[in-house]
């Protein structure tokens, strides 16, 4: 049975940190990705990770300083930790498996499958 469950969001102050979790089930994909969506905007890729070797990719290279994507293959979990939170980090965060035939580097919604319900992160000063 396929399923994705995101959790870990909440209201956080600027400069704080948050650790988002994604529990996936079913087939093990080649990679997993995190997406963010804010009202009125398209869903955008944030980070992805190749599950076999742990290689990570970021849509915005500058995010490498504050974003950490990791996985626990035994538990079928993927995490996204964001430190030094900024107001622009706010949004609904979703995780997704890559679609067959697509790699991990380009984190575009069409290259990844359906997401879960998402988890909201709100950063306030």
């Amino acid at each position: 049975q396929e399923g994705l469950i995101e959790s870990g969001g909440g209201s956080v102050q600027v400069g704080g940190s948050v650790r988002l979790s994604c529990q996936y089930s079913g087939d093990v994909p080649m990679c997993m990705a995190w997406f963010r969506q804010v009202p009125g905007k398209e869903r955008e890729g944030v980070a992805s990770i190749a599950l076999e070797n742990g290689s990570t990719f970021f849509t915005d290279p500058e995010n490498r300083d504050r974003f950490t994507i990791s996985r626990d293959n035994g538990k079928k979990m993927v995490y996204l930790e964001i430190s030094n939170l900024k107001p622009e980090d706010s949004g609904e965060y979703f995780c997704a498996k890559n679609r067959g035939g697509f790699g991990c580097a380009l984190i575009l919604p069409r290259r990844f499958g359906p997401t879960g319900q998402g988890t909201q992160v709100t950063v306030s000063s």
Side-chain angles (χ1 to χ4, degrees), residues 40-121:
K41 291 191 175 182
E42 296 287 325
R43 189 170 296 180
E44 60 178 358
V46 176
S48 68
I49 185 167
L51 298 188
E52 182 173 4
N53 64 14
S55 295
T56 58
F57 306 88
F58 297 85
T59 299
D60 183 351
E62 292 187 1
N63 282 346
R64 287 183 180 275
D65 292 338
R66 299 190 299 114
F67 289 62
T68 303
I69 184 170
S70 60
R71 89 285 193 214
D72 184 331
N73 290 344
K75 295 180 179 179
K76 289 191 172 181
M77 295 288 294
V78 176
Y79 307 97
L80 181 69
E81 187 163 0
I82 312 171
S83 62
N84 192 20
L85 281 159
K86 303 177 180 181
E88 53 264 40
D89 296 325
S90 296
E92 192 84 19
Y93 284 77
F94 303 87
C95 62
K97 300 179 179 182
N98 72 297
R99 294 185 188 275
F102 289 110
C104 310
L106 287 179
I107 313 166
L108 301 173
R110 66 177 180 269
R111 299 168 69 98
F112 289 80
T115 66
Q117 295 296 311
T119 186
Q120 176 71 35
V121 175

Side-chain angles (χ1 to χ4, degrees), residues 4-6 20-24 32 34 76-78 95:
L4 294 161
I5 302 173
E6 301 94 342
L20 308 180
S21 299
C22 170
Q23 173 79 65
Y24 65 92
M32 294 286 295
W34 282 96
K76 289 191 172 181
M77 295 288 294
V78 176
C95 62

